[in-house]
PDB file of all heavy atoms in Angstrom:
ATOM      1  N   SER A   1       0.857  -1.209   0.012  1.00  0.00           N
ATOM      2  CA  SER A   1      -0.034  -0.011  -0.014  1.00  0.00           C
ATOM      3  C   SER A   1       0.855   1.218   0.038  1.00  0.00           C
ATOM      4  O   SER A   1       2.118   1.160  -0.047  1.00  0.00           O
ATOM      5  CB  SER A   1      -0.912  -0.051   1.207  1.00  0.00           C
ATOM      6  OG  SER A   1      -0.120  -0.054   2.464  1.00  0.00           O
ATOM      7  N   GLY A   2       0.254   2.447  -0.035  1.00  0.00           N
ATOM      8  CA  GLY A   2       0.996   3.672   0.102  1.00  0.00           C
ATOM      9  C   GLY A   2       1.771   3.889  -1.161  1.00  0.00           C
ATOM     10  O   GLY A   2       1.292   3.780  -2.307  1.00  0.00           O
ATOM     11  N   ASN A   3       3.096   4.348  -1.061  1.00  0.00           N
ATOM     12  CA  ASN A   3       3.879   4.651  -2.154  1.00  0.00           C
ATOM     13  C   ASN A   3       4.472   3.439  -2.880  1.00  0.00           C
ATOM     14  O   ASN A   3       5.202   3.532  -3.865  1.00  0.00           O
ATOM     15  CB  ASN A   3       5.048   5.526  -1.729  1.00  0.00           C
ATOM     16  CG  ASN A   3       4.569   6.905  -1.358  1.00  0.00           C
ATOM     17  OD1 ASN A   3       3.415   7.329  -1.768  1.00  0.00           O
ATOM     18  ND2 ASN A   3       5.307   7.681  -0.546  1.00  0.00           N
ATOM     19  N   THR A   4       4.225   2.165  -2.231  1.00  0.00           N
ATOM     20  CA  THR A   4       4.738   0.986  -2.858  1.00  0.00           C
ATOM     21  C   THR A   4       3.592  -0.006  -2.983  1.00  0.00           C
ATOM     22  O   THR A   4       3.477  -1.012  -2.295  1.00  0.00           O
ATOM     23  CB  THR A   4       5.884   0.371  -2.075  1.00  0.00           C
ATOM     24  OG1 THR A   4       5.449   0.121  -0.767  1.00  0.00           O
ATOM     25  CG2 THR A   4       7.140   1.206  -2.134  1.00  0.00           C
ATOM     26  N   PRO A   5       2.609   0.264  -3.796  1.00  0.00           N
ATOM     27  CA  PRO A   5       1.368  -0.436  -3.850  1.00  0.00           C
ATOM     28  C   PRO A   5       1.407  -1.798  -4.653  1.00  0.00           C
ATOM     29  O   PRO A   5       0.431  -2.505  -4.729  1.00  0.00           O
ATOM     30  CB  PRO A   5       0.378   0.563  -4.427  1.00  0.00           C
ATOM     31  CG  PRO A   5       1.184   1.345  -5.408  1.00  0.00           C
ATOM     32  CD  PRO A   5       2.547   1.467  -4.699  1.00  0.00           C
ATOM     33  N   VAL A   6       2.527  -1.951  -5.311  1.00  0.00           N
ATOM     34  CA  VAL A   6       2.633  -3.192  -6.177  1.00  0.00           C
ATOM     35  C   VAL A   6       3.575  -4.225  -5.619  1.00  0.00           C
ATOM     36  O   VAL A   6       4.711  -3.843  -5.190  1.00  0.00           O
ATOM     37  CB  VAL A   6       3.089  -2.733  -7.518  1.00  0.00           C
ATOM     38  CG1 VAL A   6       3.229  -3.968  -8.492  1.00  0.00           C
ATOM     39  CG2 VAL A   6       2.123  -1.700  -8.167  1.00  0.00           C
ATOM     40  N   CYS A   7       3.106  -5.421  -5.562  1.00  0.00           N
ATOM     41  CA  CYS A   7       3.953  -6.497  -5.118  1.00  0.00           C
ATOM     42  C   CYS A   7       4.721  -7.014  -6.346  1.00  0.00           C
ATOM     43  O   CYS A   7       4.204  -7.566  -7.312  1.00  0.00           O
ATOM     44  CB  CYS A   7       3.122  -7.609  -4.457  1.00  0.00           C
ATOM     45  SG  CYS A   7       4.128  -8.982  -3.866  1.00  0.00           S
ATOM     46  N   ASN A   8       6.027  -7.082  -6.216  1.00  0.00           N
ATOM     47  CA  ASN A   8       6.881  -7.497  -7.318  1.00  0.00           C
ATOM     48  C   ASN A   8       7.890  -8.599  -6.769  1.00  0.00           C
ATOM     49  O   ASN A   8       8.847  -8.185  -6.021  1.00  0.00           O
ATOM     50  CB  ASN A   8       7.665  -6.346  -7.932  1.00  0.00           C
ATOM     51  CG  ASN A   8       8.473  -6.747  -9.125  1.00  0.00           C
ATOM     52  OD1 ASN A   8       8.292  -7.797  -9.754  1.00  0.00           O
ATOM     53  ND2 ASN A   8       9.481  -5.937  -9.479  1.00  0.00           N
ATOM     54  N   ASN A   9       7.587  -9.849  -6.911  1.00  0.00           N
ATOM     55  CA  ASN A   9       8.438 -10.971  -6.579  1.00  0.00           C
ATOM     56  C   ASN A   9       8.769 -10.850  -5.028  1.00  0.00           C
ATOM     57  O   ASN A   9       9.836 -10.990  -4.627  1.00  0.00           O
ATOM     58  CB  ASN A   9       9.670 -10.911  -7.404  1.00  0.00           C
ATOM     59  CG  ASN A   9      10.437 -12.293  -7.272  1.00  0.00           C
ATOM     60  OD1 ASN A   9       9.807 -13.316  -7.110  1.00  0.00           O
ATOM     61  ND2 ASN A   9      11.747 -12.178  -7.408  1.00  0.00           N
ATOM     62  N   GLY A  10       7.699 -10.621  -4.315  1.00  0.00           N
ATOM     63  CA  GLY A  10       7.778 -10.634  -2.864  1.00  0.00           C
ATOM     64  C   GLY A  10       8.139  -9.312  -2.211  1.00  0.00           C
ATOM     65  O   GLY A  10       8.306  -9.191  -1.064  1.00  0.00           O
ATOM     66  N   THR A  11       8.403  -8.211  -3.168  1.00  0.00           N
ATOM     67  CA  THR A  11       8.810  -6.892  -2.577  1.00  0.00           C
ATOM     68  C   THR A  11       7.797  -5.914  -3.082  1.00  0.00           C
ATOM     69  O   THR A  11       7.316  -5.887  -4.207  1.00  0.00           O
ATOM     70  CB  THR A  11      10.088  -6.523  -3.140  1.00  0.00           C
ATOM     71  OG1 THR A  11      11.110  -7.546  -2.700  1.00  0.00           O
ATOM     72  CG2 THR A  11      10.542  -5.173  -2.472  1.00  0.00           C
ATOM     73  N   CYS A  12       7.347  -5.010  -2.156  1.00  0.00           N
ATOM     74  CA  CYS A  12       6.366  -3.968  -2.515  1.00  0.00           C
ATOM     75  C   CYS A  12       7.177  -2.828  -3.239  1.00  0.00           C
ATOM     76  O   CYS A  12       8.220  -2.349  -2.729  1.00  0.00           O
ATOM     77  CB  CYS A  12       5.715  -3.397  -1.184  1.00  0.00           C
ATOM     78  SG  CYS A  12       4.530  -4.528  -0.512  1.00  0.00           S
ATOM     79  N   VAL A  13       6.677  -2.484  -4.380  1.00  0.00           N
ATOM     80  CA  VAL A  13       7.387  -1.457  -5.204  1.00  0.00           C
ATOM     81  C   VAL A  13       6.344  -0.500  -5.735  1.00  0.00           C
ATOM     82  O   VAL A  13       5.083  -0.703  -5.615  1.00  0.00           O
ATOM     83  CB  VAL A  13       8.134  -2.064  -6.366  1.00  0.00           C
ATOM     84  CG1 VAL A  13       9.268  -3.079  -5.815  1.00  0.00           C
ATOM     85  CG2 VAL A  13       7.162  -2.873  -7.253  1.00  0.00           C
ATOM     86  N   GLY A  14       6.862   0.618  -6.444  1.00  0.00           N
ATOM     87  CA  GLY A  14       5.997   1.632  -7.098  1.00  0.00           C
ATOM     88  C   GLY A  14       5.384   1.039  -8.371  1.00  0.00           C
ATOM     89  O   GLY A  14       5.796  -0.040  -8.887  1.00  0.00           O
ATOM     90  N   LYS A  15       4.546   1.865  -9.001  1.00  0.00           N
ATOM     91  CA  LYS A  15       3.798   1.445 -10.269  1.00  0.00           C
ATOM     92  C   LYS A  15       4.737   1.539 -11.456  1.00  0.00           C
ATOM     93  O   LYS A  15       5.721   2.359 -11.588  1.00  0.00           O
ATOM     94  CB  LYS A  15       2.648   2.279 -10.530  1.00  0.00           C
ATOM     95  CG  LYS A  15       1.473   2.197  -9.461  1.00  0.00           C
ATOM     96  CD  LYS A  15       0.280   3.141  -9.775  1.00  0.00           C
ATOM     97  CE  LYS A  15      -0.753   2.939  -8.732  1.00  0.00           C
ATOM     98  NZ  LYS A  15      -1.881   3.905  -8.996  1.00  0.00           N
ATOM     99  N   ALA A  16       4.486   0.600 -12.467  1.00  0.00           N
ATOM    100  CA  ALA A  16       5.270   0.637 -13.709  1.00  0.00           C
ATOM    101  C   ALA A  16       4.814   1.737 -14.589  1.00  0.00           C
ATOM    102  O   ALA A  16       3.701   2.288 -14.466  1.00  0.00           O
ATOM    103  CB  ALA A  16       5.058  -0.769 -14.387  1.00  0.00           C
ATOM    104  N   ASN A  17       5.651   2.084 -15.566  1.00  0.00           N
ATOM    105  CA  ASN A  17       5.371   3.137 -16.621  1.00  0.00           C
ATOM    106  C   ASN A  17       4.094   2.683 -17.380  1.00  0.00           C
ATOM    107  O   ASN A  17       3.945   1.569 -17.813  1.00  0.00           O
ATOM    108  CB  ASN A  17       6.494   3.294 -17.534  1.00  0.00           C
ATOM    109  CG  ASN A  17       7.680   3.878 -16.911  1.00  0.00           C
ATOM    110  OD1 ASN A  17       7.592   4.539 -15.846  1.00  0.00           O
ATOM    111  ND2 ASN A  17       8.904   3.867 -17.569  1.00  0.00           N
ATOM    112  N   GLY A  18       3.196   3.787 -17.554  1.00  0.00           N
ATOM    113  CA  GLY A  18       1.976   3.471 -18.189  1.00  0.00           C
ATOM    114  C   GLY A  18       0.780   3.296 -17.234  1.00  0.00           C
ATOM    115  O   GLY A  18      -0.364   3.465 -17.689  1.00  0.00           O
ATOM    116  N   ALA A  19       1.109   2.945 -15.994  1.00  0.00           N
ATOM    117  CA  ALA A  19      -0.028   2.820 -15.009  1.00  0.00           C
ATOM    118  C   ALA A  19      -0.460   4.222 -14.567  1.00  0.00           C
ATOM    119  O   ALA A  19       0.312   5.127 -14.551  1.00  0.00           O
ATOM    120  CB  ALA A  19       0.539   2.053 -13.748  1.00  0.00           C
ATOM    121  N   THR A  20      -1.748   4.243 -14.285  1.00  0.00           N
ATOM    122  CA  THR A  20      -2.288   5.586 -13.866  1.00  0.00           C
ATOM    123  C   THR A  20      -1.681   6.002 -12.514  1.00  0.00           C
ATOM    124  O   THR A  20      -1.315   5.122 -11.682  1.00  0.00           O
ATOM    125  CB  THR A  20      -3.802   5.462 -13.699  1.00  0.00           C
ATOM    126  OG1 THR A  20      -4.139   4.460 -12.756  1.00  0.00           O
ATOM    127  CG2 THR A  20      -4.448   5.132 -15.089  1.00  0.00           C
ATOM    128  N   CYS A  21      -1.650   7.258 -12.285  1.00  0.00           N
ATOM    129  CA  CYS A  21      -0.918   7.833 -11.075  1.00  0.00           C
ATOM    130  C   CYS A  21      -1.529   9.096 -10.779  1.00  0.00           C
ATOM    131  O   CYS A  21      -2.038   9.829 -11.612  1.00  0.00           O
ATOM    132  CB  CYS A  21       0.531   7.794 -11.156  1.00  0.00           C
ATOM    133  SG  CYS A  21       1.206   8.907 -12.483  1.00  0.00           S
ATOM    134  N   ALA A  22      -1.363   9.497  -9.527  1.00  0.00           N
ATOM    135  CA  ALA A  22      -1.825  10.782  -9.069  1.00  0.00           C
ATOM    136  C   ALA A  22      -0.624  11.639  -8.497  1.00  0.00           C
ATOM    137  O   ALA A  22      -0.682  12.814  -8.422  1.00  0.00           O
ATOM    138  CB  ALA A  22      -2.887  10.736  -8.001  1.00  0.00           C
ATOM    139  N   ALA A  23       0.524  10.916  -8.288  1.00  0.00           N
ATOM    140  CA  ALA A  23       1.672  11.598  -7.733  1.00  0.00           C
ATOM    141  C   ALA A  23       2.932  10.808  -8.139  1.00  0.00           C
ATOM    142  O   ALA A  23       2.871   9.561  -8.324  1.00  0.00           O
ATOM    143  CB  ALA A  23       1.625  11.744  -6.236  1.00  0.00           C
ATOM    144  N   LYS A  24       4.083  11.409  -8.236  1.00  0.00           N
ATOM    145  CA  LYS A  24       5.293  10.759  -8.730  1.00  0.00           C
ATOM    146  C   LYS A  24       5.780   9.671  -7.730  1.00  0.00           C
ATOM    147  O   LYS A  24       6.442   8.752  -8.172  1.00  0.00           O
ATOM    148  CB  LYS A  24       6.341  11.765  -9.013  1.00  0.00           C
ATOM    149  CG  LYS A  24       6.929  12.468  -7.836  1.00  0.00           C
ATOM    150  CD  LYS A  24       7.997  13.502  -8.151  1.00  0.00           C
ATOM    151  CE  LYS A  24       8.499  14.169  -6.917  1.00  0.00           C
ATOM    152  NZ  LYS A  24       9.592  15.147  -7.225  1.00  0.00           N
ATOM    153  N   ALA A  25       5.408   9.784  -6.431  1.00  0.00           N
ATOM    154  CA  ALA A  25       5.819   8.778  -5.457  1.00  0.00           C
ATOM    155  C   ALA A  25       5.286   7.458  -5.767  1.00  0.00           C
ATOM    156  O   ALA A  25       5.790   6.446  -5.285  1.00  0.00           O
ATOM    157  CB  ALA A  25       5.503   9.336  -4.096  1.00  0.00           C
ATOM    158  N   GLU A  26       4.167   7.394  -6.475  1.00  0.00           N
ATOM    159  CA  GLU A  26       3.491   6.163  -6.805  1.00  0.00           C
ATOM    160  C   GLU A  26       4.279   5.323  -7.817  1.00  0.00           C
ATOM    161  O   GLU A  26       4.067   4.149  -7.996  1.00  0.00           O
ATOM    162  CB  GLU A  26       2.067   6.349  -7.297  1.00  0.00           C
ATOM    163  CG  GLU A  26       1.159   7.068  -6.330  1.00  0.00           C
ATOM    164  CD  GLU A  26      -0.214   7.384  -6.875  1.00  0.00           C
ATOM    165  OE1 GLU A  26      -0.587   6.584  -7.822  1.00  0.00           O
ATOM    166  OE2 GLU A  26      -0.841   8.369  -6.555  1.00  0.00           O
ATOM    167  N   CYS A  27       5.081   5.972  -8.546  1.00  0.00           N
ATOM    168  CA  CYS A  27       5.699   5.402  -9.677  1.00  0.00           C
ATOM    169  C   CYS A  27       7.162   4.914  -9.487  1.00  0.00           C
ATOM    170  O   CYS A  27       7.988   5.611  -8.814  1.00  0.00           O
ATOM    171  CB  CYS A  27       5.775   6.330 -10.885  1.00  0.00           C
ATOM    172  SG  CYS A  27       4.120   6.956 -11.344  1.00  0.00           S
ATOM    173  N   SER A  28       7.557   3.736 -10.018  1.00  0.00           N
ATOM    174  CA  SER A  28       8.881   3.295  -9.926  1.00  0.00           C
ATOM    175  C   SER A  28       9.914   4.259 -10.446  1.00  0.00           C
ATOM    176  O   SER A  28      11.023   4.389  -9.980  1.00  0.00           O
ATOM    177  CB  SER A  28       9.013   1.939 -10.555  1.00  0.00           C
ATOM    178  OG  SER A  28       8.213   0.996  -9.975  1.00  0.00           O
ATOM    179  N   SER A  29       9.549   4.992 -11.539  1.00  0.00           N
ATOM    180  CA  SER A  29      10.356   5.874 -12.259  1.00  0.00           C
ATOM    181  C   SER A  29      10.447   7.225 -11.555  1.00  0.00           C
ATOM    182  O   SER A  29      11.235   8.122 -11.901  1.00  0.00           O
ATOM    183  CB  SER A  29       9.920   6.136 -13.703  1.00  0.00           C
ATOM    184  OG  SER A  29       8.648   6.830 -13.714  1.00  0.00           O
ATOM    185  N   SER A  30       9.580   7.419 -10.488  1.00  0.00           N
ATOM    186  CA  SER A  30       9.438   8.717  -9.741  1.00  0.00           C
ATOM    187  C   SER A  30       8.954   9.768 -10.743  1.00  0.00           C
ATOM    188  O   SER A  30       9.179  10.961 -10.460  1.00  0.00           O
ATOM    189  CB  SER A  30      10.714   9.045  -9.076  1.00  0.00           C
ATOM    190  OG  SER A  30      11.094   8.110  -8.126  1.00  0.00           O
TER     191      SER A  30
END
């Protein structure tokens, strides 16, 4: 949840490019 809402191979990370977002903290690319 929060700024790492995506589970990636057992680790919570930010969203991938192309995913909808409301703030840069949500994205893996910032």
